[in-house]
Amino acid sequence: MTTMAQETVTERSRGAGAAVRRHELAAFLRSRRERVTPEQVGLPRGRRRRTPGLRREEVAQLSAVGVTWYTWLEQARDIQVSVQVLDALARTLFLDPGERVHLFQLAGAVDPTPATSCPSITPALQAMLEQLEPYPASIQNSRYDILAHNRTLGLLLGDLEAVPPADRNCILLSYTNEDWRSSIVHLEETRRLMAARLRASMAGHLGEPAWKMLLKRLREYPEFCEAWERHEVIVAHSRRKEFLNRLVGRVVVDQSELWLSPEVGSRMVTYVPADEESRERLEKLHALALER
């Protein structure tokens, strides 16, 4: 077989493989769409509904994509799908971690969000977090994603375990999660400082899908846009924080950060009580966490 003929066969094989993935993706989306009830997304069922689960136009609206475009996706048309759209669809259809991985694989895309368990979180690091109890501690990346945490941190600003892993981002939670928002005493200042630090960190990650997707989600909130457009930048620094915990009351802590590599990336964030009353309340919070 000539080289040209071999290239033709290879191209046909790739085309056939892509077509198979598109049809698998279409079938997968249909099956998951039919599984979600209108009540789950806050829509009335109505008497004339014949479609099991959600309609295509409802999925499109909830995911902020065009109805025609989503219809083409379920028809296995040869169209490009961004990671931002895949993320929106995964959240709209309530995909679990395994289903989310499957969705991105079928679309031939790389999921930019943190997984349920990050490979960089070794058993040794998790043990260190646990040994710091009752002091709240977590491991975060420069995007504010919470990659791991101990029990006390999990209850400090609400119930972190109730938050899907893909949404465990400190700056995002300060806008989307009511428990998280109400637990931060100086909320406006905290949001402004996080936006400034995020902008400083993002300079080294311009164009990366995960950063672009996070920024797109944050831009839905006018308060963030206002802080972001100031173009303020700050670097990491230790600072005192105050939280109003729903279980034990006001807690004052000193935040410290330990970098886990020479690069400005993952870091261990710890909260040490600033006074005796805060120490006692963190001990009580830890005891409550152990009972769960």
Side-chain angles (χ1 to χ4, degrees), residues 114-122 146-148 266:
T116 303
S117 58
C118 179
S120 65
I121 305 301
T122 63
I146 300 174
L147 308 178
S266 298

Side-chain angles (χ1 to χ4, degrees), residues 141-144 171 191-206 208 211 214-215 218 224 227-237 257 259 263-265 267:
N141 59 21
S142 56
R143 204 168 52 238
Y144 279 107
I171 188 169
R191 284 172 169 174
R192 181 179 64 81
L193 292 174
M194 286 196 293
R197 186 169 177 182
L198 184 70
R199 183 177 280 282
S201 299
M202 193 170 183
H205 303 274
L206 296 175
E208 294 184 16
W211 289 77
L214 173 61
L215 189 59
L218 289 170
F224 172 80
W228 187 253
E229 293 308 319
R230 293 182 180 184
H231 287 267
E232 294 178 335
V233 292
I234 60 172
V235 295
H237 64 285
E257 299 186 358
W259 301 98
E263 299 80 17
V264 181
R267 61 190 186 271

Side-chain angles (χ1 to χ4, degrees), residues 10-258:
T10 301
E11 291 176 359
R12 288 177 179 173
S13 177
R14 289 174 180 171
V20 170
R21 282 200 307 274
R22 289 198 304 271
H23 281 86
E24 286 291 327
L25 175 61
F28 181 67
L29 288 173
R30 284 195 299 271
S31 68
R32 293 307 177 266
R33 170 171 61 83
E34 294 171 354
R35 186 184 62 178
V36 180
T37 65
E39 291 82 0
Q40 284 179 277
V41 294
L43 294 175
R45 175 171 291 277
R47 297 181 178 179
R48 298 184 178 181
R49 180 179 291 270
R50 298 178 180 178
T51 305
L54 298 178
R55 300 186 178 99
R56 286 175 175 173
E57 56 267 28
E58 291 169 339
V59 173
Q61 181 180 4
L62 292 168
S63 305
V65 300
V67 177
T68 300
W69 186 92
Y70 180 76
T71 300
W72 286 349
L73 196 59
E74 281 203 9
Q75 291 175 344
R77 300 280 190 96
D78 187 4
I79 57 177
Q80 295 296 318
V81 189
S82 69
V83 293
Q84 291 87 354
V85 167
L86 291 172
D87 173 72
L89 290 174
R91 286 186 282 117
T92 297
L93 299 174
F94 300 103
L95 301 189
D96 64 29
E99 292 171 331
R100 183 185 176 93
V101 170
H102 187 61
L103 173 69
F104 276 80
Q105 287 178 335
L106 289 177
V110 177
D111 187 352
T113 61
T116 303
S117 58
C118 179
S120 65
I121 305 301
T122 63
L125 286 175
Q126 189 64 52
M128 288 178 64
L129 291 176
E130 295 170 1
Q131 286 298 312
L132 288 171
E133 304 272 20
Y135 296 168
S138 66
I139 294 177
Q140 303 175 19
N141 59 21
S142 56
R143 204 168 52 238
Y144 279 107
D145 294 326
I146 300 174
L147 308 178
H149 63 279
N150 61 16
R151 290 187 178 93
T152 311
L153 188 282
L155 285 183
L156 183 61
L157 294 97
D159 186 2
L160 190 57
E161 290 300 320
V163 178
D167 293 334
R168 292 178 189 173
N169 178 279
C170 295
I171 188 169
L172 183 65
L173 287 169
S174 74
Y175 292 95
T176 62
N177 188 284
E178 178 57 36
D179 288 339
W180 197 276
R181 288 199 304 268
S182 61
S183 297
I184 301 174
V185 174
H186 305 291
L187 180 59
E188 184 176 351
E189 178 189 6
T190 298
R191 284 172 169 174
R192 181 179 64 81
L193 292 174
M194 286 196 293
R197 186 169 177 182
L198 184 70
R199 183 177 280 282
S201 299
M202 193 170 183
H205 303 274
L206 296 175
E208 294 184 16
W211 289 77
K212 291 168 64 177
M213 185 172 66
L214 173 61
L215 189 59
K216 181 179 179 181
R217 294 184 68 181
L218 289 170
R219 284 186 182 277
E220 296 176 6
Y221 303 93
E223 299 92 340
F224 172 80
C225 292
E226 182 180 351
W228 187 253
E229 293 308 319
R230 293 182 180 184
H231 287 267
E232 294 178 335
V233 292
I234 60 172
V235 295
H237 64 285
S238 299
R239 55 190 295 261
R240 180 156 292 186
K241 290 189 173 183
E242 294 181 54
F243 300 112
L244 188 59
N245 184 269
R246 60 186 176 86
L247 299 174
V248 299
R250 195 181 192 91
V251 177
V252 183
V253 296
D254 289 318
Q255 174 183 310
S256 298
E257 299 186 358
L258 305 174

